[in-house]
Amino acid sequence: MSTPLDKKQVPFDDSSGKRDHLPALHPKWLEKMVFVAYTLPPTDITDRGQYEQWLERLKFIAEDLHWLLQLPHDKFWCQAVFNESLLTLLDTYLRFSPRSYDVIYDLPNDGRERHLEVHRLVFMTCVRMATHKESKDDHITPNVFGDILYENFIFDVPKLLDLCVLYGNGNGALLTKMITNIFTQQPKYADDLRATIPTIIQVLENTQDMCGVTSSFAPEKLAKARSKDPRLFTMTIKEFQDVIFYLADTAITISNFLDVYPPAAHIFHEFKFEQRLASFYEGIVPEIQAALKVREFETMSHKRLLKQKLHQSRKSLQKIFHTILGHTCIEPVLEKGGEEVAENIEDFLHTMSAVLGERRFLADYESRYSFQEYADIMCQTSCDIDETQVQYIHDAINSAFATFGKRKKPKGAMSAGGRTSPDGSPGPLEEGAMGGAGALGGGAGAMGGGCAMGGGAGALGAGAMGEADGESMDDYSGQGYRGDVYQTEDYDVQGACAPRPSIIEIDSLISSVKDLLPELGEGFIEVLLEEFGYNLEQAINAVLTDKLPPSLLDMDKFMERETFEDVSSSLVDQRANVFDNDQFDIFRKENVDMNRIHQGKRADDTSLDDKSTVKQLKATYDAYGSRDQASMYDNLPDYEYDDEYDDTYDTNNIGAQDEDSAEELTARRPFVVPRALQTARGPKREEVESEESDDEKPARDEFVQDPAKIHEIAEQKRSGTHRGSGIRQQHDVVGKQKGHGQEKDVIKNRKFKEKNKAARGNHNRRAGADRKRGRGMMAI
């Protein structure tokens, strides 16, 4: 096996001519080369002197890096270890280079291409520095490689953070191998990260203090509520902008670092960083939102830029919380399963319980990451889970979302469904270098980062990150490298598939664009808005950055809007009716046949004379045996239909089978004299009914009574048993004992008594008193 670079000895002749040997990594073998430090592009592009000077600096940097990458393995590492100007160049570029998520410089094409070349070469240099084995012959002992990186400050934690934010979007897989190899070969970097996290926490607290918001993690929280002051509303616009830029740069940097190197989530979790992050979010984000709505800016584009930056900050802070929880609590549950994950589940529930007081954060977090998904994963394990605690957390999150939450809008793809890119080409937010919003500078990056412009890089075609890979690093041509595209941070926007707004909303959008770009025609603005799914920010951004879709490049920018005549001139025209556009709609039709409109029955209406349908029913009634019913329609008389005639019961065959005789009419029910027409001497109703119940015929009223009966009645009067003109009958209602059955007469008597009991006793005292009073028998 070949000798590693750290053990190689190179022979040479000293000044006395003697043969001697020196290590391959020695300052003696360093070729004299001074690398130029990187500087930001000039803010005033129109100043040709400064601009040409900056282009010349980029040219020198590109030439020097090309020369460096072409050096052999031993010569390259001599430059990397002993040439301080090279480390200065890399450090200045990583600190000050514009970021991929925030473009503030609109460079000409020559400056953009040259900067992209430097961007690509810096990444290749860092890849080669992070590789300890380029080939079988060119390699370094792993543990020595880690010491070389650490002792010579070739990489440190701030540089790794800047690498992630600059190149993480386009070259995440390769960057993950790089950083993983660095942390694997030198464990001291993990200790440095642990020492860096308290500094990051202090950065967040300083940001809160700058905004006048006291941290909720402060000990005084138990004694008093979180204090606030109007500092965000009174500070200058530049200070307010720096706060938002600083917050966005810090949040996106940490988020990208955790995406590139997931094991770092465990180190952040040791410091309960996610809990402090939720508290920080709850304290500062709502305050910045409120101040952003109230404060006035010189231009609307400035305000929209700050809104975009704040949105990126919120999204990145939520993603950090989600990533830490996912790698420390959720992924072990999915990978291990069984009883081994009880500690992870308990840790997850404890973390969520600790942030239940941060209701605004929970509402925003729930809109992107559902707690129910976490609960479903935990319930699928065999561990005993405190369902009461899970339900309590779920209810608290739902309550917070109901108060402060907002559902995420459906996302529309800019490359689908529109006229711009039917072939799936990238949309305006994804294409072109330095695609972004605004022309405002400023904003320092956390941990040494800068702001604006920047790009993603694609996968390098070569490069092994360890001995096991064994791939060659000889090819540095950049095959597959995405250095020509500066990617922007993905954020929620409505794409071309968004529903079309109303005419009033379109007029408002056109007016907003017209205020910023008065030289554009309203017709061009309308087509532009339609092209970008009526997204105002994207449409204005495309015009300002000169990145119009291909379908609009040849269109006249001064085209006026087509005007349409408003047909809704009255409330009648705006009505919605089921009879719209029918043959009698006089509001929408000019030619209506007035001959078909009449009042009442038409004299020439012969539609009722047609009895063919009625006669066809005869066969149907014959089939079901209803001959008599059908016979009604056989010989219908010809008559003129009368609208006033009530024919509701014409089809009922009433009395058709009766013979109108008096005896048959009274056969079902005997005639009873109404109570109001009965005389005092007439028979009482109950006596008649009693006689009917006994099936006895009434006695004939004889003109001359039998003397024997007269004497009998007189005797009964004297004994007090006489009532009226007859003998009071006794009706048996007692009957036999219960369970021995009852006779038919007893049952009838009981029914009669129940029915007529109100006619006797004390039930009619009021009616009797009224009757006497009416006859004048009582004094008033």
Side-chain angles (χ1 to χ4, degrees), residues 635-650:
N635 299 315
L636 289 175
D638 296 336
Y639 63 91
E640 183 177 355
Y641 180 75
D642 186 7
D643 287 343
E644 302 299 329
Y645 176 71
D646 186 5
D647 56 356
T648 304
Y649 303 101
D650 281 1

Side-chain angles (χ1 to χ4, degrees), residues 208-312:
Q208 283 185 315
D209 295 339
M210 188 184 305
C211 299
V213 179
T214 304
S215 173
S216 63
F217 252 88
E220 61 268 18
K221 183 182 178 183
L222 298 177
K224 61 180 180 180
R226 187 180 308 176
S227 61
K228 302 177 182 179
D229 60 26
R231 198 175 306 175
L232 279 172
F233 299 88
T234 57
M235 64 174 56
T236 63
I237 295 296
K238 187 179 183 305
E239 292 176 345
F240 184 70
Q241 171 185 297
D242 290 342
V243 168
I244 297 180
F245 279 11
Y246 191 76
L247 175 62
D249 189 80
T250 304
I252 297 175
T253 300
I254 300 174
S255 175
N256 285 12
F257 178 70
L258 291 176
D259 285 343
V260 171
Y261 186 60
H266 296 274
I267 301 177
F268 278 87
H269 187 63
E270 295 176 5
F271 293 85
K272 298 181 179 180
F273 186 79
E274 62 273 25
Q275 300 180 28
R276 296 180 177 271
L277 189 71
S279 174
F280 170 78
Y281 186 102
E282 181 76 13
I284 196 172
V285 170
E287 295 299 316
I288 295 179
Q289 282 181 316
L292 193 57
K293 291 180 180 179
V294 174
R295 300 200 61 152
E296 297 181 356
F297 299 88
E298 294 181 358
T299 60
M300 288 299 298
S301 60
H302 190 184
K303 186 172 184 178
R304 280 193 295 270
L305 174 63
L306 296 183
K307 283 185 177 180
Q308 178 183 341
K309 298 295 296 181
L310 180 60
H311 180 86
Q312 293 173 352

Side-chain angles (χ1 to χ4, degrees), residues 424-438:
S425 59
L429 281 180
E430 303 174 18
E431 64 178 0
M434 297 180 298

Side-chain angles (χ1 to χ4, degrees), residues 61 65 68-69 76 89-90 93-94 97 115-131 155 159-160 162-179 260 455-463 465 473 476 478-483:
I61 293 175
L65 291 179
L68 176 67
L69 291 174
F76 173 84
L89 166 62
L90 298 178
Y93 185 84
L94 294 178
S97 176
H115 194 280
L116 286 172
E117 179 68 14
V118 173
H119 187 76
R120 184 176 67 89
L121 293 174
V122 169
F123 182 68
M124 289 181 174
T125 305
C126 293
V127 170
R128 193 172 183 183
M129 287 181 174
T131 305
F155 290 109
K159 287 182 181 179
L160 297 179
D162 291 335
L163 279 172
C164 292
V165 76
L166 277 175
Y167 302 99
N169 289 338
N171 303 277
L174 183 57
L175 199 58
T176 298
K177 296 177 67 177
M178 288 173 52
I179 296 181
V260 171
L460 258 165
M465 302 317 310
M473 289 287 290
Y476 286 96
Q479 180 181 2
Y481 185 81
R482 291 184 58 192

Side-chain angles (χ1 to χ4, degrees), residues 50-206:
Q50 294 184 5
Y51 180 67
E52 293 293 341
Q53 183 181 0
W54 181 74
L55 285 181
E56 188 176 4
R57 179 181 291 270
L58 290 185
K59 180 182 177 182
F60 290 153
I61 293 175
E63 292 176 353
D64 293 345
L65 291 179
H66 271 297
W67 172 83
L68 176 67
L69 291 174
Q70 293 175 359
L71 291 176
H73 184 256
D74 55 344
K75 299 293 184 181
F76 173 84
W77 277 103
C78 286
Q79 294 289 336
V81 173
F82 303 114
N83 194 334
E84 295 183 359
S85 63
L86 173 61
L87 299 182
T88 302
L89 166 62
L90 298 178
D91 181 65
T92 53
Y93 185 84
L94 294 178
R95 288 177 57 192
F96 302 120
S97 176
R99 269 45 182 161
S100 62
Y101 54 82
D102 187 11
V103 179
I104 62 174
Y105 298 105
D106 190 7
L107 298 176
N109 292 333
D110 55 346
R112 182 185 310 168
E113 293 175 359
R114 190 163 296 181
H115 194 280
L116 286 172
E117 179 68 14
V118 173
H119 187 76
R120 184 176 67 89
L121 293 174
V122 169
F123 182 68
M124 289 181 174
T125 305
C126 293
V127 170
R128 193 172 183 183
M129 287 181 174
T131 305
H132 68 276
K133 182 179 181 181
E134 296 183 8
S135 65
K136 294 181 179 179
D137 297 330
D138 300 328
H139 60 91
I140 304 175
T141 305
N143 56 350
V144 177
F145 170 76
D147 293 337
I148 291 175
L149 296 182
Y150 191 78
E151 298 297 336
N152 294 280
F153 296 94
I154 295 178
F155 290 109
D156 52 28
V157 173
K159 287 182 181 179
L160 297 179
L161 292 172
D162 291 335
L163 279 172
C164 292
V165 76
L166 277 175
Y167 302 99
N169 289 338
N171 303 277
L174 183 57
L175 199 58
T176 298
K177 296 177 67 177
M178 288 173 52
I179 296 181
T180 303
N181 188 56
I182 293 173
F183 275 88
T184 302
Q185 307 306 334
Q186 182 52 270
K188 293 181 180 179
Y189 281 110
D191 298 333
D192 287 353
L193 181 60
R194 289 186 176 89
T196 305
I197 293 177
T199 304
I200 298 176
I201 296 175
Q202 186 63 42
V203 166
L204 300 181
E205 293 180 354
N206 292 341

